[in-house]
Amino acid sequence: MLLRHTTAEVAERSALTINPAKTCQPIGAMYAALGVHGCLPHSHGSQGCCAYHRSTLTRHYKEPVMAATSSFTEGSSVFGGQANFCRPCKRSSPSTNPEVVAIHTTCLSETIGDDITQIISKARDEGKIPEGKYAIHANTPSYVGSHVTGFANMVKSLVTSFAESTGEEKKQINLLPDG
């Protein structure tokens, strides 16, 4: 039925690319986190996911992109990634010294149901997140939405975590473009 609206002739499109970069939420979240000074994106999932996200952004910008990963293994896939999150969190701070670690989830951590809020709280209680440093998170399952959704989720998390009310109302808006 829908084919009746398609013409028989094939039209060449030389100056148009349809949806060239529609991809998964974690890439958008990583992109948003990279725009924050002193922020290290952290992919809570398998090492392959993080490698894909980093390589996609590296190819796009033609510059290396830094990000940490929880590097899930088969055991993490079954028992959760809490232990895998805490190790790199403690290790990444001295070498890169980020002010903010922006954790975004992947399909795997979302599917197994990792509670990122609890994991961050436990890491802070155990001293694995240094005093004066911030850890924020955004849930970004790849099977819902796109990179635009992931960008929006991470920006919302950044605003929720860092915005403070002064009680003063201003007649202005802030625009946070995604590209």
Side-chain angles (χ1 to χ4, degrees), residues 25-38:
Q25 281 199 54
I27 290 178
M30 186 180 284
Y31 179 54
L34 288 168
V36 176
H37 179 73

Side-chain angles (χ1 to χ4, degrees), residues 22-99:
K22 183 175 180 182
T23 186
C24 61
Q25 281 199 54
I27 290 178
M30 186 180 284
Y31 179 54
L34 288 168
V36 176
H37 179 73
C39 183
L40 177 68
H42 182 99
S43 183
H44 188 64
S46 70
Q47 189 170 355
C49 287
C50 186
Y52 168 67
H53 305 146
R54 287 178 53 212
S55 70
T56 300
L57 290 173
T58 296
R59 276 193 309 252
H60 181 74
Y61 292 107
K62 296 178 178 48
E63 289 189 20
V65 170
M66 187 185 328
T69 178
S70 296
S71 298
F72 278 27
T73 61
E74 293 85 358
S76 309
S77 301
V78 174
F79 301 111
Q82 182 166 322
N84 288 45
F85 168 75
C86 291
R87 276 194 300 269
C89 187
K90 190 169 187 174
R91 229 180 301 142
S92 68
S93 293
S95 61
T96 58
N97 200 21
E99 295 297 314

Side-chain angles (χ1 to χ4, degrees), residues 8-9 12 16 19 37 43 51 60 64 72 79-80 82-83 103 110 115-117 121 137 140 160 173:
E9 304 84 38
E12 275 301 310
L16 173 68
N19 214 4
H37 179 73
S43 183
H60 181 74
F72 278 27
F79 301 111
Q82 182 166 322
I103 301 111
E110 285 289 329
D115 183 354
I116 307 300
T117 305
S121 178
H137 82 282
T140 54
T160 303
I173 60 169

Side-chain angles (χ1 to χ4, degrees), residues 90-126:
K90 190 169 187 174
R91 229 180 301 142
S92 68
S93 293
S95 61
T96 58
N97 200 21
E99 295 297 314
V100 180
V101 175
I103 301 111
H104 58 271
T105 56
T106 64
C107 289
L108 183 56
S109 58
E110 285 289 329
T111 302
I112 63 175
D114 266 358
D115 183 354
I116 307 300
T117 305
Q118 179 272 328
I119 291 172
I120 292 171
S121 178
K122 183 171 184 194
R124 187 170 304 288
D125 292 346
E126 293 177 355

